[in-house]
Amino acid sequence: MAGKMEIVLVGRSNVGKSSVIRGLTGMRIRTGRRPGVTRKISRYERGELVFVDMPGFGFMAGVSREVQERTKSEIVHYLEENRSKIALALHVIDVRSFCEVVERWEGRGQLPIDVEMFHFIRELKIPLIMVANKIDLIYPEERDGVLDEICDKLGLLPPWRQWLDTVAPVSAKTGEGMAELKRLIKRKFQEMGKGRLCRHLR
Ligand code: GDP
């Protein structure tokens, strides 16, 4: 039998990575603010499919710059070293704060960490889905505008609907968009000739 394959989740702290894994698998995974919990890589196995939850990157209250940098290199190394067994990356963002955070970094003349990570994963040629989470926090009439702006920041030419194979707006909280996300993941597995992995998604 072929070895286990991984879906790796990356994103800033608190964007909803654990909630997305819970929505995709039905596993009872702890979510919410976890002060004091060590920021380790968590692995959740579903048969031959493993969900790998990376520590949140970027600024967090109470976390030194040194720890932030170390977290980022840990993620980068993990992706490089495990490239061959990573079937898919889910890059989770919080749609409500994404553009504001990116603009803050741009204002300082820095490349925003989310943008850097997005391009890094694409350079490694790891199939990627941008999971635009917490869409429930945006008024329905404002969603297209917000998603267009997110695409623009990532260098994906708006309108966002051109990128339906890359961008998946969801609410891990209400479940909205989760069925579409699952379908998209399954389609990507099938395109890669890894359709057998589909049965491990709820
Ligand atoms: P992680 O740190 O990225 O693993 O994030 P968690 O999954 O622990 O979620 C962080 C917080 O965001 C928790 O309080 C969740 O209940 C909340 N959350 C997660 N997904 C959503 C969502 O789609 N909408 C809203 N409103 N809150 C969410």
Side-chain angles (χ1 to χ4, degrees), residues 43-56:
R43 301 175 64 85
Y44 305 97
E45 306 216 358
R46 302 271 295 178
E48 58 192 319
L49 184 61
V50 187
F51 288 80
V52 184
D53 192 3
M54 289 286 148

Side-chain angles (χ1 to χ4, degrees), residues 14-19 31-32 34 133-134 136-137 171-173:
N14 237 37
V15 292
K17 295 183 297 298
S18 322
S19 305
T31 59
R34 289 155 291 180
N133 190 34
K134 306 200 186 185
D136 58 290
L137 299 178
S171 167
K173 186 175 179 176

Side-chain angles (χ1 to χ4, degrees), residues 110-167:
Q110 292 170 328
L111 182 62
I113 191 163
D114 268 305
V115 177
E116 186 183 352
M117 195 60 74
F118 175 74
H119 291 302
F120 176 72
I121 294 170
R122 300 232 300 184
E123 268 164 36
L124 286 180
K125 302 208 170 6
I126 296 174
L128 176 146
I129 298 174
M130 189 49 97
V131 181
N133 190 34
K134 306 200 186 185
I135 198 74
D136 58 290
L137 299 178
I138 308 284
Y139 290 116
E141 62 274 21
E142 290 175 2
R143 290 181 186 175
D144 281 333
V146 169
L147 292 163
D148 283 351
E149 201 178 335
I150 290 170
C151 279
D152 191 42
K153 297 284 183 205
L154 293 170
L156 305 172
L157 189 71
W160 77 272
R161 285 183 192 279
Q162 291 193 103
W163 301 99
L164 287 174
D165 59 346
T166 307
V167 179

Side-chain angles (χ1 to χ4, degrees), residues 7-142:
I7 294 185
V8 174
L9 282 93
V10 300
R12 306 176 69 84
S13 302
N14 237 37
V15 292
K17 295 183 297 298
S18 322
S19 305
V20 168
I21 297 177
R22 191 169 53 184
L24 291 173
T25 63
M27 290 169 113
R28 296 160 70 99
I29 291 165
R30 248 187 329 154
T31 59
R33 290 186 179 277
R34 289 155 291 180
V37 172
T38 44
R39 294 145 47 82
K40 280 204 204 116
I41 295 175
S42 306
R43 301 175 64 85
Y44 305 97
E45 306 216 358
R46 302 271 295 178
E48 58 192 319
L49 184 61
V50 187
F51 288 80
V52 184
D53 192 3
M54 289 286 148
F57 54 64
F59 174 78
M60 251 205 336
V63 177
S64 70
R65 184 154 268 296
E66 191 194 337
V67 170
Q68 291 172 42
E69 282 302 319
R70 218 186 303 139
T71 304
K72 189 171 99 182
S73 352
E74 189 188 356
I75 296 170
V76 164
H77 286 138
Y78 187 91
L79 294 172
E80 283 173 341
E81 280 161 24
N82 296 282
R83 169 68 193 92
S84 61
K85 54 182 175 186
I86 300 174
L88 182 67
L90 298 181
H91 185 157
V92 185
I93 57 170
D94 171 341
V95 285
R96 196 175 48 170
S97 63
F98 181 83
C99 291
E100 190 193 310
V101 172
V102 165
E103 275 160 21
R104 207 180 309 144
W105 282 65
E106 287 171 344
R108 291 195 299 255
Q110 292 170 328
L111 182 62
I113 191 163
D114 268 305
V115 177
E116 186 183 352
M117 195 60 74
F118 175 74
H119 291 302
F120 176 72
I121 294 170
R122 300 232 300 184
E123 268 164 36
L124 286 180
K125 302 208 170 6
I126 296 174
L128 176 146
I129 298 174
M130 189 49 97
V131 181
N133 190 34
K134 306 200 186 185
I135 198 74
D136 58 290
L137 299 178
I138 308 284
Y139 290 116
E141 62 274 21
E142 290 175 2

